[in-house]
Amino acid sequence: MNHVSIRVGTLRGDQKISFDAYVKINDKFVLYLRRGDSFEGQRLKRLKEKKLKKMFILSEDETNYRQYLKTNIESAYDSNSKKDINTRAEIIQGQQQSNVEEVFERPEDKEAYFETKDAAGKYVEFMMKNSAAANAVLNIENTDKNLAHHGVAVATYAISLAQKLKITDPQKTQLLTLGGLLHDIGHHESNINVAQQLDLLTPEELAIYKQHPKKGAERVKDKNHFDQLVTTIINEHEEHIDGSGFPNKLKEKQLDPLSIIVSSANTLDRLITFESVPKLEAPKKLMIDRVGTHPLNHIQLLAEIIKNIK
Ligand SMILES: [Fe+2]
Ligand SMILES: [Fe+2]
């Protein structure tokens, strides 16, 4: 029997699966969930806790799996949907996270990039119309400190921030979203633990850490399908408006305004996701400890966004 891998993130929601799902244990495929079951609640939580990214299906079930994905995402984006917003947000978040993982693993795959870009456009359009959905996505806790999940959170904070700044041109917001999703591609092959407080890194590790925007931009710059603006955001997302960021110590005037938005969103979610700062405390911490590094109105607007989440 032939098994093919699928991403766990795509299996969210209450729709019953139309295929058997396997996990691989010591080179053996073990049936984990039968067709007719769904990946709700505890089951999903257990999978996330195991940090399992991939599962397997039989190759003969591939068409069923594709159909499942299509139905799942269409129902999540359906404005007449009767499903509750949290389930819909979980499905949408899962799709975005899987797309990010796909591009992180294979940036040379043109088709995966364009699929991710297209889905980013649909995502931003929906999130800007439906603030309850944006809040529900931001409420999904990143329990396994997953880098792709962090990308989705950064993109979502950036979207909410852009909306409050009245940046609504669809082409711009699509690339802002894509840049937010993919900003940390430079960490993908990193050997250091980036999912922790930075002051726990050794000086050598910190020096490597500070190369990640440059490394990321270099990884994608020869891929002609990557939009220039996305590469710019990857390269500039750790820069600060006062020149205290890295890798190039650029200042506000030298930075793309969309990079500045992603930088503010990234600093916020890094505190929440990797440094375990409670959500409501994070903007206050930015205000006090990082004064001058991000535009003051960004911090004030992010504080408003966070307050509305719960
Ligand atoms: Fe980063
Ligand atoms: Fe980041």
Side-chain angles (χ1 to χ4, degrees):
M1 280 194 294
N2 247 335
H3 292 81
V4 288
S5 71
I6 59 171
R7 281 176 201 283
V8 172
T10 60
L11 298 171
R12 289 173 192 173
D14 56 1
Q15 191 197 170
K16 289 179 171 41
I17 58 171
S18 48
F19 46 85
D20 291 333
Y22 297 79
V23 288
K24 204 173 180 181
I25 301 171
N26 301 332
D27 281 335
K28 275 197 178 134
F29 294 102
V30 179
L31 184 59
Y32 187 84
L33 203 65
R34 277 171 211 285
R35 72 185 75 227
D37 282 335
S38 75
F39 276 88
E40 275 182 295
Q42 278 309 314
R43 268 198 194 117
L44 185 66
K45 227 179 134 208
R46 271 209 308 274
L47 276 181
K48 280 185 93 175
E49 279 162 6
K50 282 186 195 144
K51 296 195 178 195
L52 189 69
K53 284 204 184 107
K54 286 188 178 165
M55 292 185 80
F56 297 85
I57 57 170
L58 293 176
S59 57
E60 64 210 45
D61 269 336
E62 263 191 289
T63 320
N64 290 336
Y65 172 66
R66 299 257 156 240
Q67 188 55 46
Y68 165 88
L69 288 188
K70 202 164 162 257
T71 312
N72 220 17
I73 199 70
E74 276 173 7
S75 76
Y77 275 133
D78 178 3
S79 52
N80 299 316
S81 169
K82 298 219 164 41
K83 281 186 205 290
D84 73 279
I85 194 69
N86 292 325
T87 305
R88 292 167 68 195
E90 200 170 76
I91 296 166
I92 294 168
Q93 193 278 343
Q95 185 207 33
Q96 294 298 317
Q97 183 176 324
S98 305
N99 287 347
V100 174
E101 281 166 0
E102 197 90 20
V103 178
F104 277 10
E105 279 173 29
R106 289 179 294 122
E108 68 284 358
D109 186 335
K110 207 169 159 180
E111 210 178 303
Y113 180 83
F114 285 120
E115 237 174 71
T116 300
K117 182 177 174 179
D118 186 52
K122 290 204 180 81
Y123 184 73
V124 61
E125 196 195 324
F126 185 75
M127 291 297 144
M128 285 205 170
K129 271 195 263 172
N130 193 332
S131 59
N135 291 342
V137 166
L138 291 173
N139 251 330
I140 301 172
E141 214 191 318
N142 191 347
T143 45
D144 53 351
K145 299 187 192 296
N146 176 291
L147 192 64
H149 187 151
H150 162 67
V152 182
V154 168
T156 313
Y157 283 121
I159 289 169
S160 300
L161 190 49
Q163 194 168 21
K164 286 191 183 283
L165 294 167
K166 311 233 173 338
I167 299 170
T168 50
D169 171 67
Q171 260 175 339
K172 258 193 191 165
T173 58
Q174 181 180 27
L175 293 176
L176 170 74
T177 305
L178 194 54
L181 289 169
L182 301 176
H183 74 278
D184 268 337
I185 191 167
H187 280 320
H188 181 66
E189 285 166 338
S190 172
N191 295 322
I192 54 174
N193 178 12
V194 300
Q196 61 174 347
Q197 271 173 263
L198 295 181
D199 48 17
L200 297 175
L201 298 177
T202 65
E204 294 77 27
E205 286 174 331
L206 193 63
I208 297 171
Y209 176 86
K210 290 199 167 178
Q211 290 302 312
H212 80 268
K214 212 173 143 218
K215 235 178 103 191
E218 266 163 20
R219 192 160 169 231
V220 305
K221 77 165 191 255
D222 61 332
K223 319 281 185 285
N224 292 330
H225 49 276
F226 263 75
D227 295 271
Q228 180 52 51
L229 190 50
V230 172
T231 311
T232 300
I233 292 173
I234 292 170
N235 199 29
E236 296 180 346
H237 77 271
E238 302 278 2
E239 299 286 357
H240 292 154
I241 55 170
D242 61 355
S244 66
F246 59 88
N248 292 318
K249 297 189 167 26
L250 300 179
K251 290 196 173 166
E252 186 161 17
K253 281 203 179 75
Q254 299 165 290
L255 294 166
D256 191 285
L258 298 186
S259 300
I260 300 177
I261 293 177
V262 172
S263 172
S264 300
N266 175 56
T267 302
L268 180 78
D269 193 63
R270 160 151 266 290
L271 286 177
I272 297 169
T273 296
F274 301 133
E275 311 211 349
S276 307
V277 175
K279 267 200 191 104
L280 277 169
E281 295 300 314
K284 287 182 205 155
K285 217 173 150 57
L286 280 187
M287 198 84 82
I288 298 163
D289 300 352
R290 317 275 171 103
V291 65
T293 57
H294 300 281
L296 187 59
N297 66 332
H298 284 196
I299 299 177
Q300 287 162 338
L301 293 171
L302 285 168
E304 265 178 45
I305 291 161
I306 294 256
K307 238 188 264 161
N308 288 329
I309 291 180
K310 280 225 158 145

